[in-house]
Amino acid sequence: MDKYFSGEVLYGDDFSKEQISQWYEDEKEGYADLVAGYKKEYHYGYRHLDELYGYKYLPKRRYGNVLGIGSAYGDEFRPIATQIDHLYILEPSDHLVTDHIDGMNPVYKKPNIDGTIDFPDGFFDLIVCFATLHHIPNVTHVMNEFYRCLRPGGFLLLKEPINSMGDWREARSGLTKRERGIPYGYFKKMIADLGFKVIRESPHFTMTSFLVRKTGKLLQKSIYEYKAYLFIDKYLSRLFRWNITYHPVTKLKRIAPSKIFYVLSK
């Protein structure tokens, strides 16, 4: 497992069709099972973060066709709901779906098990993939599909963990069976190889999981839902980005950004 925990090779990226199929079965309701009660208990707390690192860098215009990857109830689109003409969502869960999102009527489709996207080349003006790739085994193939489906000049918003999220061979509290982060170096190489233009790269969430646990009983909502904290974390993450480690096993190595936000264009 050393090659995976070092971040040199992404676990799952070279899986066979049978292994990918088993992974899909394990994950398709994994997140829904974590939010017991589904919509009644569901809360999306990342709007301020999405605006700070993502939507503020998009042109203020209409987006004809927009694709959400694993977007559940579509809360991540609320900041630009009035700018979207047609919203499509690839969502494996039978439970995390809705009829309307701030006046939009999304079209839900089940993702193909192999990650191939059933839309024509250059169909989308915008693709949004927030914290979904790390639930998918063959990330390289899926990223290639993102590039294929984007029109020239289209945008991809991408937000993912960049550490291992622990040892995925064992059960981890609050996590699904298969999820694991995507190495930072892997992202940088893949984005360059595909030909994406990097508009913005924002490492973030330095020690945020620790702070969420420590402040959980003191604050009315998670600490990352406060704008003031996000600005503090923004500069803290810049300061410690040199310490990014895929599988940190010491306290010192954990003082580093744990997630990345990309604004990319084709």
mmCIF file with all atom_site columns, all heavy atoms in Angstrom, residues 89-101:
data_model
loop_
_atom_site.group_PDB
_atom_site.id
_atom_site.type_symbol
_atom_site.label_atom_id
_atom_site.label_alt_id
_atom_site.label_comp_id
_atom_site.label_asym_id
_atom_site.label_entity_id
_atom_site.label_seq_id
_atom_site.pdbx_PDB_ins_code
_atom_site.Cartn_x
_atom_site.Cartn_y
_atom_site.Cartn_z
_atom_site.occupancy
_atom_site.B_iso_or_equiv
_atom_site.pdbx_formal_charge
_atom_site.auth_seq_id
_atom_site.auth_comp_id
_atom_site.auth_asym_id
_atom_site.auth_atom_id
_atom_site.pdbx_PDB_model_num
ATOM 1   N N   . ILE A 1 89  ? -28.221 16.725 -13.394 1.00 0.00 ? 89  ILE A N   1
ATOM 2   C CA  . ILE A 1 89  ? -27.473 16.204 -12.254 1.00 0.00 ? 89  ILE A CA  1
ATOM 3   C C   . ILE A 1 89  ? -27.285 14.701 -12.404 1.00 0.00 ? 89  ILE A C   1
ATOM 4   O O   . ILE A 1 89  ? -28.257 13.960 -12.594 1.00 0.00 ? 89  ILE A O   1
ATOM 5   C CB  . ILE A 1 89  ? -28.203 16.513 -10.927 1.00 0.00 ? 89  ILE A CB  1
ATOM 6   C CG1 . ILE A 1 89  ? -28.212 18.026 -10.657 1.00 0.00 ? 89  ILE A CG1 1
ATOM 7   C CG2 . ILE A 1 89  ? -27.534 15.782 -9.755  1.00 0.00 ? 89  ILE A CG2 1
ATOM 8   C CD1 . ILE A 1 89  ? -28.955 18.425 -9.385  1.00 0.00 ? 89  ILE A CD1 1
ATOM 9   N N   . LEU A 1 90  ? -26.029 14.261 -12.329 1.00 0.00 ? 90  LEU A N   1
ATOM 10  C CA  . LEU A 1 90  ? -25.718 12.839 -12.261 1.00 0.00 ? 90  LEU A CA  1
ATOM 11  C C   . LEU A 1 90  ? -25.669 12.455 -10.789 1.00 0.00 ? 90  LEU A C   1
ATOM 12  O O   . LEU A 1 90  ? -24.786 12.911 -10.058 1.00 0.00 ? 90  LEU A O   1
ATOM 13  C CB  . LEU A 1 90  ? -24.375 12.536 -12.938 1.00 0.00 ? 90  LEU A CB  1
ATOM 14  C CG  . LEU A 1 90  ? -24.290 12.750 -14.443 1.00 0.00 ? 90  LEU A CG  1
ATOM 15  C CD1 . LEU A 1 90  ? -22.899 12.366 -14.950 1.00 0.00 ? 90  LEU A CD1 1
ATOM 16  C CD2 . LEU A 1 90  ? -25.353 11.942 -15.179 1.00 0.00 ? 90  LEU A CD2 1
ATOM 17  N N   . GLU A 1 91  ? -26.618 11.648 -10.343 1.00 0.00 ? 91  GLU A N   1
ATOM 18  C CA  . GLU A 1 91  ? -26.735 11.304 -8.932  1.00 0.00 ? 91  GLU A CA  1
ATOM 19  C C   . GLU A 1 91  ? -27.098 9.824  -8.802  1.00 0.00 ? 91  GLU A C   1
ATOM 20  O O   . GLU A 1 91  ? -28.145 9.397  -9.272  1.00 0.00 ? 91  GLU A O   1
ATOM 21  C CB  . GLU A 1 91  ? -27.799 12.168 -8.263  1.00 0.00 ? 91  GLU A CB  1
ATOM 22  C CG  . GLU A 1 91  ? -28.118 11.797 -6.825  1.00 0.00 ? 91  GLU A CG  1
ATOM 23  C CD  . GLU A 1 91  ? -26.894 11.844 -5.932  1.00 0.00 ? 91  GLU A CD  1
ATOM 24  O OE1 . GLU A 1 91  ? -26.255 12.909 -5.833  1.00 0.00 ? 91  GLU A OE1 1
ATOM 25  O OE2 . GLU A 1 91  ? -26.577 10.776 -5.344  1.00 0.00 ? 91  GLU A OE2 1
ATOM 26  N N   . PRO A 1 92  ? -26.232 9.013  -8.177  1.00 0.00 ? 92  PRO A N   1
ATOM 27  C CA  . PRO A 1 92  ? -26.516 7.579  -8.056  1.00 0.00 ? 92  PRO A CA  1
ATOM 28  C C   . PRO A 1 92  ? -27.602 7.245  -7.046  1.00 0.00 ? 92  PRO A C   1
ATOM 29  O O   . PRO A 1 92  ? -28.282 6.227  -7.179  1.00 0.00 ? 92  PRO A O   1
ATOM 30  C CB  . PRO A 1 92  ? -25.175 6.987  -7.619  1.00 0.00 ? 92  PRO A CB  1
ATOM 31  C CG  . PRO A 1 92  ? -24.500 8.113  -6.893  1.00 0.00 ? 92  PRO A CG  1
ATOM 32  C CD  . PRO A 1 92  ? -24.907 9.358  -7.632  1.00 0.00 ? 92  PRO A CD  1
ATOM 33  N N   . SER A 1 93  ? -27.798 8.091  -6.040  1.00 0.00 ? 93  SER A N   1
ATOM 34  C CA  . SER A 1 93  ? -28.743 7.786  -4.972  1.00 0.00 ? 93  SER A CA  1
ATOM 35  C C   . SER A 1 93  ? -30.190 7.916  -5.444  1.00 0.00 ? 93  SER A C   1
ATOM 36  O O   . SER A 1 93  ? -30.538 8.835  -6.197  1.00 0.00 ? 93  SER A O   1
ATOM 37  C CB  . SER A 1 93  ? -28.511 8.717  -3.778  1.00 0.00 ? 93  SER A CB  1
ATOM 38  O OG  . SER A 1 93  ? -29.512 8.535  -2.797  1.00 0.00 ? 93  SER A OG  1
ATOM 39  N N   . ASP A 1 94  ? -31.035 7.023  -4.974  1.00 0.00 ? 94  ASP A N   1
ATOM 40  C CA  . ASP A 1 94  ? -32.476 7.116  -5.235  1.00 0.00 ? 94  ASP A CA  1
ATOM 41  C C   . ASP A 1 94  ? -33.159 8.078  -4.268  1.00 0.00 ? 94  ASP A C   1
ATOM 42  O O   . ASP A 1 94  ? -34.332 8.415  -4.447  1.00 0.00 ? 94  ASP A O   1
ATOM 43  C CB  . ASP A 1 94  ? -33.129 5.734  -5.103  1.00 0.00 ? 94  ASP A CB  1
ATOM 44  C CG  . ASP A 1 94  ? -32.697 4.775  -6.195  1.00 0.00 ? 94  ASP A CG  1
ATOM 45  O OD1 . ASP A 1 94  ? -32.462 5.232  -7.335  1.00 0.00 ? 94  ASP A OD1 1
ATOM 46  O OD2 . ASP A 1 94  ? -32.586 3.564  -5.901  1.00 0.00 ? 94  ASP A OD2 1
ATOM 47  N N   . HIS A 1 95  ? -32.459 8.520  -3.251  1.00 0.00 ? 95  HIS A N   1
ATOM 48  C CA  . HIS A 1 95  ? -33.055 9.315  -2.180  1.00 0.00 ? 95  HIS A CA  1
ATOM 49  C C   . HIS A 1 95  ? -32.685 10.791 -2.243  1.00 0.00 ? 95  HIS A C   1
ATOM 50  O O   . HIS A 1 95  ? -33.493 11.640 -1.847  1.00 0.00 ? 95  HIS A O   1
ATOM 51  C CB  . HIS A 1 95  ? -32.645 8.749  -0.822  1.00 0.00 ? 95  HIS A CB  1
ATOM 52  C CG  . HIS A 1 95  ? -32.983 7.305  -0.641  1.00 0.00 ? 95  HIS A CG  1
ATOM 53  N ND1 . HIS A 1 95  ? -34.254 6.860  -0.355  1.00 0.00 ? 95  HIS A ND1 1
ATOM 54  C CD2 . HIS A 1 95  ? -32.213 6.186  -0.730  1.00 0.00 ? 95  HIS A CD2 1
ATOM 55  C CE1 . HIS A 1 95  ? -34.253 5.538  -0.258  1.00 0.00 ? 95  HIS A CE1 1
ATOM 56  N NE2 . HIS A 1 95  ? -33.028 5.111  -0.471  1.00 0.00 ? 95  HIS A NE2 1
ATOM 57  N N   . LEU A 1 96  ? -31.486 11.100 -2.701  1.00 0.00 ? 96  LEU A N   1
ATOM 58  C CA  . LEU A 1 96  ? -31.005 12.479 -2.676  1.00 0.00 ? 96  LEU A CA  1
ATOM 59  C C   . LEU A 1 96  ? -31.380 13.215 -3.956  1.00 0.00 ? 96  LEU A C   1
ATOM 60  O O   . LEU A 1 96  ? -30.529 13.668 -4.730  1.00 0.00 ? 96  LEU A O   1
ATOM 61  C CB  . LEU A 1 96  ? -29.485 12.495 -2.466  1.00 0.00 ? 96  LEU A CB  1
ATOM 62  C CG  . LEU A 1 96  ? -28.991 11.797 -1.192  1.00 0.00 ? 96  LEU A CG  1
ATOM 63  C CD1 . LEU A 1 96  ? -27.464 11.821 -1.131  1.00 0.00 ? 96  LEU A CD1 1
ATOM 64  C CD2 . LEU A 1 96  ? -29.585 12.450 0.060   1.00 0.00 ? 96  LEU A CD2 1
ATOM 65  N N   . VAL A 1 97  ? -32.672 13.354 -4.192  1.00 0.00 ? 97  VAL A N   1
ATOM 66  C CA  . VAL A 1 97  ? -33.177 14.026 -5.385  1.00 0.00 ? 97  VAL A CA  1
ATOM 67  C C   . VAL A 1 97  ? -34.296 14.984 -4.988  1.00 0.00 ? 97  VAL A C   1
ATOM 68  O O   . VAL A 1 97  ? -34.916 14.832 -3.932  1.00 0.00 ? 97  VAL A O   1
ATOM 69  C CB  . VAL A 1 97  ? -33.698 13.015 -6.432  1.00 0.00 ? 97  VAL A CB  1
ATOM 70  C CG1 . VAL A 1 97  ? -32.568 12.123 -6.930  1.00 0.00 ? 97  VAL A CG1 1
ATOM 71  C CG2 . VAL A 1 97  ? -34.822 12.164 -5.857  1.00 0.00 ? 97  VAL A CG2 1
ATOM 72  N N   . THR A 1 98  ? -34.550 15.973 -5.844  1.00 0.00 ? 98  THR A N   1
ATOM 73  C CA  . THR A 1 98  ? -35.606 16.952 -5.584  1.00 0.00 ? 98  THR A CA  1
ATOM 74  C C   . THR A 1 98  ? -36.228 17.393 -6.902  1.00 0.00 ? 98  THR A C   1
ATOM 75  O O   . THR A 1 98  ? -35.602 17.267 -7.965  1.00 0.00 ? 98  THR A O   1
ATOM 76  C CB  . THR A 1 98  ? -35.045 18.173 -4.822  1.00 0.00 ? 98  THR A CB  1
ATOM 77  O OG1 . THR A 1 98  ? -36.116 19.043 -4.459  1.00 0.00 ? 98  THR A OG1 1
ATOM 78  C CG2 . THR A 1 98  ? -34.044 18.937 -5.671  1.00 0.00 ? 98  THR A CG2 1
ATOM 79  N N   . ASP A 1 99  ? -37.441 17.933 -6.841  1.00 0.00 ? 99  ASP A N   1
ATOM 80  C CA  . ASP A 1 99  ? -38.146 18.377 -8.045  1.00 0.00 ? 99  ASP A CA  1
ATOM 81  C C   . ASP A 1 99  ? -37.761 19.785 -8.466  1.00 0.00 ? 99  ASP A C   1
ATOM 82  O O   . ASP A 1 99  ? -37.891 20.145 -9.638  1.00 0.00 ? 99  ASP A O   1
ATOM 83  C CB  . ASP A 1 99  ? -39.666 18.335 -7.822  1.00 0.00 ? 99  ASP A CB  1
ATOM 84  C CG  . ASP A 1 99  ? -40.188 16.920 -7.630  1.00 0.00 ? 99  ASP A CG  1
ATOM 85  O OD1 . ASP A 1 99  ? -39.577 15.997 -8.196  1.00 0.00 ? 99  ASP A OD1 1
ATOM 86  O OD2 . ASP A 1 99  ? -41.183 16.752 -6.898  1.00 0.00 ? 99  ASP A OD2 1
ATOM 87  N N   . HIS A 1 100 ? -37.321 20.605 -7.516  1.00 0.00 ? 100 HIS A N   1
ATOM 88  C CA  . HIS A 1 100 ? -37.031 21.990 -7.856  1.00 0.00 ? 100 HIS A CA  1
ATOM 89  C C   . HIS A 1 100 ? -35.936 22.545 -6.941  1.00 0.00 ? 100 HIS A C   1
ATOM 90  O O   . HIS A 1 100 ? -35.798 22.134 -5.794  1.00 0.00 ? 100 HIS A O   1
ATOM 91  C CB  . HIS A 1 100 ? -38.291 22.857 -7.727  1.00 0.00 ? 100 HIS A CB  1
ATOM 92  C CG  . HIS A 1 100 ? -38.867 22.855 -6.344  1.00 0.00 ? 100 HIS A CG  1
ATOM 93  N ND1 . HIS A 1 100 ? -39.713 21.875 -5.890  1.00 0.00 ? 100 HIS A ND1 1
ATOM 94  C CD2 . HIS A 1 100 ? -38.719 23.731 -5.311  1.00 0.00 ? 100 HIS A CD2 1
ATOM 95  C CE1 . HIS A 1 100 ? -40.062 22.131 -4.645  1.00 0.00 ? 100 HIS A CE1 1
ATOM 96  N NE2 . HIS A 1 100 ? -39.473 23.241 -4.264  1.00 0.00 ? 100 HIS A NE2 1
ATOM 97  N N   . ILE A 1 101 ? -35.159 23.454 -7.509  1.00 0.00 ? 101 ILE A N   1
ATOM 98  C CA  . ILE A 1 101 ? -34.080 24.118 -6.775  1.00 0.00 ? 101 ILE A CA  1
ATOM 99  C C   . ILE A 1 101 ? -34.149 25.599 -7.114  1.00 0.00 ? 101 ILE A C   1
ATOM 100 O O   . ILE A 1 101 ? -33.764 26.019 -8.206  1.00 0.00 ? 101 ILE A O   1
ATOM 101 C CB  . ILE A 1 101 ? -32.688 23.572 -7.168  1.00 0.00 ? 101 ILE A CB  1
ATOM 102 C CG1 . ILE A 1 101 ? -32.617 22.058 -6.996  1.00 0.00 ? 101 ILE A CG1 1
ATOM 103 C CG2 . ILE A 1 101 ? -31.587 24.257 -6.369  1.00 0.00 ? 101 ILE A CG2 1
ATOM 104 C CD1 . ILE A 1 101 ? -31.459 21.427 -7.741  1.00 0.00 ? 101 ILE A CD1 1
#
